Amino acid sequence: MSCEEASKLLALVQQHSNACNYIHGPANTVWALATLSHKHAAFMGALLMAADIKLPSFKPQELANTVWALATLGYQDATFMGALLVAAETKLDDFRAHELANTVWAMGKLVVRDAAFMRALLVAAELKLPSFDAQALAKK
């Protein structure tokens, strides 16, 4: 994506972020950008602003995919990460094993230091340990 294309896309995201009723859009877009290894700081900032509004409505998969995508891109945003962790902590009991594993991996990769969230995450992971498969246990 060229700078001009990214700028146009950024303008559209900013224009429509509050009007968008599609809750999953920001999470899916961040995930797609990470899958494509595409990092555009201004676009990511606008996208995370749109996602921040919708975080309380995110399902565990969207929360885990978003933090995974940020870690994959190496994108740091302490304010957004704090809001994401607050949203995630209320839903940790609903996370599946691979979502817990991806979240732990992402926090390590981004060097997120939140002891209270990590304790809650590890309690949730311990309760689901029997459902962890080899991939979740060996997440790198």
Side-chain angles (χ1 to χ4, degrees):
M1 178 182 306
S2 72
C3 285
E4 182 180 332
E5 291 168 327
S7 294
K8 287 179 183 177
L9 193 53
L10 173 60
L12 285 171
V13 167
Q14 289 172 329
Q15 179 182 358
H16 298 288
S17 65
N18 291 331
C20 181
N21 290 324
Y22 180 53
I23 292 168
H24 315 296
N28 289 346
T29 305
V30 172
W31 174 86
L33 290 172
T35 301
L36 295 169
S37 299
H38 183 76
K39 184 177 176 182
H40 185 279
F43 180 69
M44 285 295 293
L47 191 56
L48 293 182
M49 282 176 47
D52 187 53
I53 296 164
K54 295 171 176 49
L55 279 174
S57 302
F58 276 21
K59 294 178 183 172
Q61 181 179 353
E62 289 138 3
L63 293 163
N65 286 356
T66 300
V67 72
W68 172 87
L70 296 175
T72 298
L73 292 171
Y75 188 86
Q76 299 279 350
D77 184 323
T79 302
F80 179 79
M81 184 60 67
L84 188 145
L85 295 182
V86 167
E89 189 165 3
T90 65
K91 298 174 183 177
L92 284 175
D93 291 341
D94 298 324
F95 274 56
R96 293 175 290 186
H98 71 277
E99 293 161 350
L100 292 166
N102 287 349
T103 302
V104 169
W105 172 84
M107 289 182 66
K109 180 130 170 98
L110 291 171
V111 193
V112 175
R113 304 272 190 246
D114 187 318
F117 180 80
M118 187 56 81
R119 276 192 299 277
L121 182 67
L122 293 176
V123 167
E126 184 177 9
L127 293 172
K128 295 192 176 164
L129 198 53
S131 65
F132 276 65
D133 60 14
Q135 181 180 1
L137 290 170
K139 185 71 183 166
K140 46 178 168 168

